[in-house]
Amino acid sequence: MEQFLTPEFWVAVGQIIMIDILLGGDNAVVIALACRKLPPAQRTKGILWGTAGAILLRVILIFFALTLLAIPFLKLAGALLLVWIGVKLLAPEHDDAHGTIAASDKLWSAVKTVIVADLVMSVDNVIAIAGAAQGAGQGHQMPLVIFGLLVSIPIIVWGSQLVIKLMDRFPIIITLGGMLLGWIAGTMAVTDPSVVNPAAWTWVPKLPQTDTVRYIAGIGGALLVLAIGKWVAMRRPKPQDTATA
């Protein structure tokens, strides 16, 4: 029980909740689109069952992700993916990714749509949560993931509109979220088995596994995402520019 009272545990919980808020905003949109044609009496059921199925599927995916991250070089690949996701968060593309979400007037058809759409959209979320859970140490990573997801469910489903308004009013939240992903990417990369095990992959530079190294890597990852994200955002044409071109 004492392991659940450590600062590392609660820091990881906070990271998972923030990741779900930042990267899970689309979930509320998908749920609303898929369930919009259901009769009012079934709409709440569709939302609840669709959300439950999507969360269960995500927990299963994260379990495999946590297992796979023990394979050499996969953490490095995951770190690069998180940097890319963080950059996309800071410099989003101007398109409508939800136009293909079909609504249904049948309860289980709508639930299936929610689950399938969430599966397609969950790669970034799964990798980010798996990376955050790594920082909590072995032994209770999956309980941590499940706890973080359960806490974030009401925030995503019922509080999504409030969160979106806060993000619009305070863009610093998006910036901090992107930098958080960069932090997780940096700390994940320096714990890859290929840079930890001195007896294997001798051609790969080894790093001492100290808090100082992890902090430096985390800060470096956060600043890297911020710098690339701002650079991409400045070079990307504004929506009105493309409309008048």
Side-chain angles (χ1 to χ4, degrees), residues 105-188:
D105 56 359
K106 300 292 190 296
L107 174 62
W108 293 111
S109 179
V111 170
K112 182 185 70 174
T113 298
V114 171
I115 294 174
V116 172
D118 188 81
L119 172 63
V120 174
M121 298 163 60
S122 288
V123 174
D124 55 355
N125 198 292
V126 166
I127 294 295
I129 290 176
Q134 293 277 316
Q138 298 289 334
H140 52 277
Q141 289 176 348
M142 280 309 297
L144 165 64
V145 167
I146 294 171
F147 178 75
L149 288 174
L150 290 176
V151 171
S152 66
I153 289 173
I155 299 174
I156 295 172
V157 177
W158 290 286
S160 58
Q161 294 305 314
L162 174 61
V163 171
I164 291 171
K165 289 178 181 178
L166 286 174
M167 289 179 182
D168 289 337
R169 186 172 180 181
F170 304 105
I172 188 66
I173 297 176
I174 302 292
T175 301
L176 293 176
M179 294 179 70
L180 171 62
L181 294 177
W183 172 280
I184 294 172
T187 56
M188 180 191 296

